Amino acid sequence: MVKAAATRGDVHAANQSTPLISMRNIRKSFGSVHALQGASVDVHAGEVVALVGDNGAGKSTLVKIMAGVFGFDSGEYSIEGQPAKIASPADATALGIQTVYQDLALCNNLDAVQNLFLGRELTGPAWFGRRIRRAECEVRAREVLTRMRLGQLSLTRPVGAMSGGQRQNIAIARSILWTPKVVIFDEPTAALSHSASEQVSALVRTLANDGLGIVVVSHDIHNFVVNATDRIEVMRLGANVASFKSSEVTGEQVVNAMVGGNEAVNLAG
Ligand SMILES: Nc1ncnc2c1ncn2[C@@H]1O[C@H](COP(=O)(O)OP(=O)(O)OP(=O)(O)O)[C@@H](O)[C@H]1O
Ligand SMILES: [Mg+2]
């Protein structure tokens, strides 16, 4: 018998501040595929929210809408209490929403500094001018890595020669370079060793403690999700079916809700 199924209201009552992000009743179809059928999620400053669910549940679609990759058919999306005006990923970036992509999107032959600033040349601060100035980039890179407690990472080695965990850290550093309010991770610990996953967990917590809101899509229920997040939203068939406080739930209970093993729990949301 599952005992710790908190209702959405209970969980949300714990944090009354205006959420950084609030998505309500979002619907999104791709042709005849109803990817989202009334999905909701709130993200507060300082909070790590996990989005979990089986393959095809709609997790990536929801975070892609959050990040401006897709629009949505109906529902409400607000940022700090205001309706979000997001028509592209660039709009989301400008509003302080950054995504760390699953494939990391790093260039293996370039070093950490080059990867951090890749493609940002013309969107960076005015003092950049039209070309990247290496010394200034190195200073800024070092600042960001120090803020992430990663001061020991090499700035000059090609990232292709780095471990999976180190590459993940560079991808995260790249996302926080322009001081976002919300960082979205889609499967940050997939393909990472246990110790590298622990490092990512610590890093996610450091960012949340700095006041960022963090959204993590993860299938790593038993380790990452229950141990490194604050709240868990369970999705099934494009809608929320349960919400848990991470400290009050076991991996088994979360998995049950994901696959529909206990309808009484699933309908609690
Ligand atoms: N660009 C797209 N075009 C058409 N259908 C899509 C597209 N993106 C997602 N879908 C469909 O929407 C549904 C939800 O997919 P989504 O990628 O959001 O699931 P997910 O929860 O992230 O799954 P996974 O755990 O496998 O990554 C699936 O049925 C998927 O096939
Ligand atoms: Mg996905």
Side-chain angles (χ1 to χ4, degrees):
M1 183 61 202
V2 176
K3 55 180 171 13
T7 65
R8 296 177 56 76
D10 288 340
V11 171
H12 292 163
N15 193 338
Q16 298 287 0
S17 63
T18 304
L20 289 174
I21 284 189
S22 177
M23 299 178 86
R24 287 269 163 268
N25 225 357
I26 302 288
R27 291 178 175 268
K28 168 75 178 172
S29 296
F30 298 100
S32 60
V33 177
H34 301 298
L36 296 179
Q37 311 193 64
S40 301
V41 65
D42 279 357
V43 187
H44 292 85
E47 180 183 45
V48 184
V49 180
L51 278 181
V52 306
D54 233 334
N55 294 125
K59 309 175 297 291
S60 293
T61 303
L62 189 62
V63 296
K64 282 178 180 167
I65 291 171
M66 198 181 278
V69 176
F70 297 144
F72 53 101
D73 302 333
S74 66
E76 287 158 32
Y77 178 4
S78 20
I79 297 180
E80 295 179 282
Q82 303 298 318
K85 294 198 175 62
I86 296 181
S88 68
D91 290 346
T93 299
L95 288 166
I97 300 167
Q98 281 284 342
T99 307
V100 179
Y101 286 102
Q102 204 157 0
D103 60 8
L104 304 186
L106 297 178
C107 288
N108 285 334
N109 57 327
L110 301 181
D111 68 25
V113 175
Q114 290 165 322
N115 267 288
L116 286 176
F117 288 89
L118 200 63
R120 313 272 186 139
E121 296 87 344
L122 298 176
T123 56
W127 49 263
F128 263 112
R130 284 205 166 260
R131 66 192 171 85
I132 291 256
R133 293 211 289 274
R134 173 79 194 189
E136 285 156 2
C137 288
E138 279 194 17
V139 169
R140 180 82 181 105
R142 189 54 79 202
E143 275 170 21
V144 168
L145 292 174
T146 303
R147 179 178 170 206
M148 292 167 64
R149 320 256 189 283
L150 294 172
Q152 77 291 354
L153 258 181
S154 166
L155 294 184
T156 51
R157 255 167 79 203
V159 302
M162 292 185 172
S163 75
Q166 289 168 331
R167 289 160 51 80
Q168 177 76 61
N169 289 335
I170 304 252
I172 297 170
R174 187 164 118 169
S175 79
I176 70 159
L177 199 57
W178 306 111
T179 55
K181 293 175 183 163
V182 175
V183 182
I184 301 165
F185 296 88
D186 201 337
E187 293 290 350
T189 58
L192 291 189
S193 70
H194 183 70
S195 69
S197 299
E198 302 254 286
Q199 227 187 35
V200 171
S201 303
L203 191 47
V204 159
R205 184 53 59 192
T206 301
L207 298 180
N209 287 345
D210 252 13
L212 300 192
I214 311 285
V215 183
V216 192
V217 174
S218 180
H219 287 278
D220 187 1
I221 308 295
H222 295 278
N223 294 306
F224 183 80
V225 170
V226 294
N227 294 321
T229 72
D230 298 311
R231 193 154 53 78
I232 304 169
E233 291 290 336
V234 184
M235 294 180 65
R236 188 143 46 94
L237 301 175
N240 302 61
V241 290
S243 179
F244 299 103
K245 219 173 159 178
S246 311
S247 59
E248 295 174 355
V249 75
T250 65
E252 284 73 21
Q253 289 169 323
V254 175
V255 171
N256 261 347
M258 282 169 56
V259 300
N262 185 324
E263 289 303 324
V265 170
N266 296 333
L267 296 175

